[in-house]
Amino acid sequence: MGVPALEVLGVSKDFGRIIALRGVTFSVQAGEFVSILGRNGAGKTTLLNIVSGVSRPSEGEVKLFGTDPSDRENKAKLAVISHEMFLYGNLTAIENLEYYSRIYNVPDAKQRVEEVLSDVELTHRRFDLVATYSRGMTQRLTIARALLHEPSLLLLDEPFTGLDQHAIGMLITLLKKQKEMGRTILLTTHDLHTATELSDRYIVISKHKIVKDGLIADTSPDAIREKFFSAEAGGLES
Amino acid sequence: MMRTAISILKKDLRMEFRSKESILAMWIFSLLIFVIFNFTFEVSRLVMLEIAPGLLWVAFVFSGMFGLNQSFALEKENGNLRAMALMPVDGGQIYVGKFFSVTIIMLMFEALIFPIFVIFYDLQLSLGMFRLIPVLLAGTIGFTSLGTILSAVAVHTRNQQILLSLLLWPLVSPIIIWSVTLTGMVLSGEVTEAFYPLLVRVGAFDVIFFTLSYMLFDFILED
């Protein structure tokens, strides 16, 4: 087995007196699809921020492809999809994507922009300002923006939040395609069914630490819900 | 190497030309300052020449504050500030792009507002006025080089505008005071031998502020 795509080694994070993560350790192999499950405030987003290099851990270490996540080479291999759009409302879809393609040095940018727009079915609206898009369309464009530079590692932070059924279906299809292409994917979600449909592995974070790291093949959404998110266990929402 | 900076500059200018939000607000704000001062104080031309340079820079820097606040406020929208932190580029390049976009917008605003200033205060135009160009350039660059990085610091906080004012004013004051002095010399037509050394001093501060900001910008983008 080669160098893992991601290694999280004893990571803790606190914001003053507020503890966000405590001694989190796991690794993700290249091509693996891992879902991080946990209640609101469990520390999932903090973990993704640390993995993406935007935030530094208070303790512990993160390695992306064997090196520091804030290395420029690593950042070029990474894409983040979250509830934040990373788009400019006062630019058109094509202007947004051309901007990011220049930043990420995407080869054959014009063709690649058309490809990703077509993948998310937004070709017909490419010259419209993003501010005029619906929430679902904006999220589809967010996905197109993230896939533009063909990242090796995709970090998805609650990507289904606020999406309509059509957009959720499209995102699931796109994620399956990315998985088939061998991309490494780390997803945080509340949606146990989607997580178990897409992932190879799941990690449950509770009270800022990992309480379960298991294979999806060995379980079911109901079993996960029953064991970690039942009313007795505190529910899925905090 | 400058690819990122140019991309950010082009994106910012495109958005500004499309909305004209910053430049219009800056222009109207300055116009109000000129109108209020012109009609409130009945002073002789001699006194006017003494207060005009200060008045001009009051308009520039207060309007410039608006431009600086806008520059990173639009990055905060939709999480673009985080997107910048995720970019596989040197933070200095992001700083250079933002610095040039703010500076160009401010210089354009200055070019638009200066003729109004000349009309309101009945200033005599002469060839010597061309000396104002390096003065405005040096003063503006000093203001925006420091303002750009401090605006990026302040945007992370809830009271962005107050914090930017608190951080920027003490540091940028020398440049503004020297720029007012230099502008006064040009407008009064009394350019003494102190003019060029003072201009060089402003330029030196510009270089120091720009270089330090370029080097430190990577740390600003981190959480």
Side-chain angles (χ1 to χ4, degrees), chain A residues 49 75 86 88 90 95 102, chain B residues 3 18 75 78 82 85:
Chain A
N49 281 340
K75 283 185 171 180
F86 302 168
Y88 296 92
N90 210 11
E95 285 168 349
R102 281 192 297 269
Chain B
R3 186 189 175 96
R18 196 163 279 162
E75 298 297 345
N78 293 339
R82 193 166 159 227

Side-chain angles (χ1 to χ4, degrees), chain B residues 43-160:
Chain B
V43 290
S44 67
R45 185 178 147 67
L46 213 59
V47 176
M48 187 53 79
L49 271 177
E50 279 186 23
I51 63 166
L55 195 57
L56 186 65
W57 278 97
V58 164
F60 285 170
V61 295
F62 275 98
S63 305
M65 290 293 287
F66 183 83
L68 285 173
N69 276 315
Q70 273 294 105
S71 173
F72 278 95
L74 72 91
E75 298 297 345
K76 203 173 181 183
E77 195 183 330
N78 293 339
N80 290 310
L81 211 56
R82 193 166 159 227
M84 281 188 157
L86 288 165
M87 286 174 182
V89 296
D90 175 19
Q93 289 298 306
I94 297 173
Y95 169 76
V96 172
K98 297 302 283 182
F99 161 77
F100 275 109
S101 71
V102 173
T103 307
I104 288 171
I105 289 168
M106 199 162 157
L107 288 172
M108 278 170 46
F109 146 75
E110 288 173 7
L112 285 172
I113 202 73
F114 188 71
I116 310 284
F117 176 75
V118 170
I119 294 166
F120 263 93
Y121 296 98
D122 195 22
L123 296 174
Q124 307 296 318
L125 288 175
S126 66
L127 274 177
M129 284 270 193
F130 280 107
R131 287 200 183 96
L132 262 185
I133 294 173
V135 173
L136 295 185
L137 266 175
T140 304
I141 288 171
F143 178 77
T144 53
S145 60
L146 199 54
T148 302
I149 192 165
L150 294 179
S151 175
V153 172
V155 79
H156 292 289
T157 66
R158 215 174 291 169
N159 298 314
Q160 179 194 346

Side-chain angles (χ1 to χ4, degrees), chain A residues 5 14 19 60 66 68 74 82 85 115 122 131 135 160 230 238:
Chain A
D14 55 66
I19 294 166
D68 192 297
N74 275 336
S82 72
M85 305 299 177
E115 269 173 27
L122 281 174
R135 160 86 188 157
F160 304 106
S230 60
S238 57

Side-chain angles (χ1 to χ4, degrees), chain A residues 49 52 54-56 72 75-76 80 82 84-88 90-91 95 99-100 102-105 129, chain B residues 3-4 7-8 11 14-15 18-19 74-75 78-80 82-83 85-90 222-223:
Chain A
N49 281 340
S52 64
V54 169
S55 182
R56 286 189 191 276
R72 254 175 266 167
K75 283 185 171 180
V80 175
S82 72
E84 293 181 311
M85 305 299 177
F86 302 168
L87 295 168
Y88 296 92
N90 210 11
L91 295 181
E95 285 168 349
Y99 166 67
Y100 278 106
R102 281 192 297 269
I103 298 284
Y104 281 85
N105 216 355
L129 292 182
Chain B
R3 186 189 175 96
T4 306
S7 298
I8 290 170
K11 180 262 297 172
R14 177 176 277 162
M15 287 171 73
R18 196 163 279 162
S19 71
L74 72 91
E75 298 297 345
N78 293 339
N80 290 310
R82 193 166 159 227
L86 288 165
M87 286 174 182
V89 296
D90 175 19
E222 266 184 32
D223 251 4

Side-chain angles (χ1 to χ4, degrees), chain A residues 53-87:
Chain A
V54 169
S55 182
R56 286 189 191 276
S58 307
E59 276 177 43
E61 191 185 6
V62 173
K63 284 182 182 175
L64 276 189
F65 307 101
T67 57
D68 192 297
S70 57
D71 280 359
R72 254 175 266 167
E73 272 186 31
N74 275 336
K75 283 185 171 180
K77 293 177 189 167
L78 190 78
V80 175
I81 298 175
S82 72
H83 58 279
E84 293 181 311
M85 305 299 177
F86 302 168
L87 295 168

